[in-house]
Amino acid sequence: MSQDYTFLKACRGEQTDYTPVWLMRQAGRYLPQYMAVRKKVTFLELCKTPELAAEVTIQPIDYLDADAAILFSDILTPVEPMGLKLDFVPGPVFENPVRSEADIDALRIPVMEEDVPYVLETIRILRREFEGRVPLIGFGGAPFTLACYMVEGKGSKDFAQIKRMMYGAPELFAKLMDKITEMDRQYLNAQIAAGAQAIQIFDTWGGIVSPLDYQKYVLPYTRKLIDGLDRSVPIIHFVKGAGCMLDIVSQAGSDVMGLDWHVNLGKARDIIGPKIAVQGNLDPTVLYAPKQHIEREVKRILDENAGRPGHIFNLGHGILPTVDPEHARFMVECVHRLSGK
Ligand code: CP3
């Protein structure tokens, strides 16, 4: 029974026989088998070719023995059909970033089955492939993180453009965020309808604002998004840099909160309370350490959780491309062995 997957039970806060584990960005450049596929196509072509996207989604399941798979795509995939020309060099770049009201008005809400059919087809292929083996996580960017890329046009250190809009033209910012939130709602519900068994919302840049600004400019949209999702599947909400505002972020209404490594997992659970499960939170750079160090850190995090139900082990952010894959596999093995599998 698919509902009995250890990962899904942990998402629902139920007792499990052992601690399930997967790694954010587990399909990717640290794996030679990914690079072999990636050599033949661009990153966007890979995302848009269901057979190849499915193949690289399966690779880390075969290699790592992780307890959940995550769809191979990108948070910016649905933004391209909104009308922004997207390239990866390797970071994302939009040729025509959103700066004015006319730019916002020109954005369209994609028709998911027509504009991103490859995402939904990849999910359908993967459900057939994984039946009885591992559950499949779908995902999207949180409205604020998507807005950061759409307004900045690329990654940023100071986020000057989005903050200019947020503080200087709050009605424009709200209009943009409303449109992105509605796109995201339809996009994630389409993934669930196609077969995604859990959804992770990535708010990579949600922590660049103060707790008060998070409450004012970010939280209302993420909460509205989560409210509008088909809740027959668990929703995981990962905000990087949320350690100082866990009480506020928990109001977004997710089933699971992703934690980065700047918080003690046990203390975070005390703040969040027993109704929300947690996912995390090993520092991704610990995978550069010798194996005894990795094992000690895995044990420390399991000890911080202290046997409470509703813990999914993960990194505190995505795996880094220069990590030795053997160390990632060893980490998964440690989580399983030390938690009693
Ligand atoms: O987790 C997985 O294995 C699924 C695939 C996945 C990718 N991107 C593939 C990818 C997921 C879940 C994402 C999410 C994503 N994309 C986020 C949120 C998570 C996070 O890391 O903060 C963000 C901010 C993006 C935007 C993005 N895409 C950036 C900033 C970059 C460049 C940085 C980098 O890692 O190179 C990408 C490109 C990207 N997305 C790659 C992969 C495997 C590398 C592209 C390549 O193969 O050249």
Side-chain angles (χ1 to χ4, degrees), residues 127-339:
R127 278 302 303 276
R128 290 196 291 275
E129 288 286 332
F130 285 140
E131 195 51 50
R133 192 173 174 205
V134 285
L136 178 68
I137 306 168
F139 72 91
F144 183 71
T145 287
L146 295 179
C148 285
Y149 285 108
M150 292 167 74
V151 173
E152 297 290 336
K154 55 184 186 321
S156 176
K157 282 201 165 63
D158 52 18
F159 295 92
Q161 300 293 346
I162 185 81
K163 295 224 169 157
R164 277 201 179 101
M165 185 188 285
M166 194 172 97
Y167 296 126
E171 63 301 327
L172 275 199
F173 175 81
K175 190 172 186 181
L176 175 62
M177 289 289 281
D178 277 332
K179 207 157 188 177
I180 297 172
T181 304
E182 177 54 20
M183 179 285 290
D184 233 355
R185 187 188 69 78
Q186 294 186 26
Y187 181 56
L188 295 177
N189 278 335
Q191 290 189 32
I192 297 167
Q197 289 153 294
I199 291 290
Q200 173 149 329
I201 298 170
F202 286 92
D203 209 352
T204 305
W205 304 123
I208 64 163
V209 295
S210 71
L212 269 177
D213 282 349
Y214 181 87
Q215 201 161 21
K216 184 168 172 188
Y217 297 105
V218 182
L219 177 67
Y221 302 95
T222 306
R223 184 156 55 197
K224 185 169 180 199
L225 170 62
I226 292 176
D227 264 353
L229 296 181
D230 171 353
R231 298 302 292 272
S232 61
V233 306
I235 310 297
I236 308 165
H237 180 208
F238 170 66
V239 180
K240 184 152 182 287
C244 58
M245 51 182 185
L246 293 168
D247 51 335
I248 300 171
V249 175
S250 73
Q251 294 166 20
S254 66
D255 302 285
V256 185
M257 279 172 71
L259 304 173
D260 71 20
W261 65 99
H262 299 285
V263 292
N264 173 298
L265 185 127
K267 288 182 187 164
R269 297 208 76 170
D270 292 341
I271 294 168
I272 295 165
K275 292 207 181 89
I276 302 177
V278 295
Q279 175 176 282
N281 66 343
L282 183 72
D283 177 348
T285 65
V286 166
L287 295 184
Y288 291 125
K291 284 186 174 175
Q292 316 86 282
H293 187 100
I294 295 172
E295 178 154 354
R296 254 198 327 271
E297 284 290 287
V298 167
K299 183 170 185 311
R300 174 183 62 78
I301 291 169
L302 291 173
D303 286 348
E304 282 171 13
N305 185 59
R308 284 176 271 201
H311 176 212
I312 299 126
F313 202 100
N314 205 316
L315 301 175
H317 196 199
I319 187 167
L320 295 157
T322 52
V323 154
D324 180 349
E326 170 58 25
H327 280 205
R329 179 156 75 173
F330 177 73
M331 185 211 94
V332 171
E333 192 263 314
C334 285
V335 175
H336 284 158
R337 176 166 39 81
L338 296 172
S339 70

Side-chain angles (χ1 to χ4, degrees), residues 94-130:
F94 288 116
E95 202 175 88
N96 49 335
V98 175
R99 296 287 162 82
S100 67
E101 180 148 32
D103 293 341
I104 298 170
D105 289 337
L107 294 171
R108 58 184 283 274
I109 296 197
V111 178
M112 300 307 164
E113 289 285 354
E114 286 167 21
D115 289 302
V116 287
Y118 38 85
V119 172
L120 307 176
E121 180 55 20
T122 305
I123 292 174
R124 293 185 192 106
I125 294 173
L126 286 167
R127 278 302 303 276
R128 290 196 291 275
E129 288 286 332
F130 285 140

Side-chain angles (χ1 to χ4, degrees), residues 25-27 29 34 38 43 71 73-74 92 149 202 204 317:
R25 304 286 289 265
Q26 65 189 4
R29 287 164 297 179
Y34 171 84
R38 178 66 177 77
F43 173 66
L71 164 73
S73 184
D74 197 84
Y149 285 108
F202 286 92
T204 305
H317 196 199

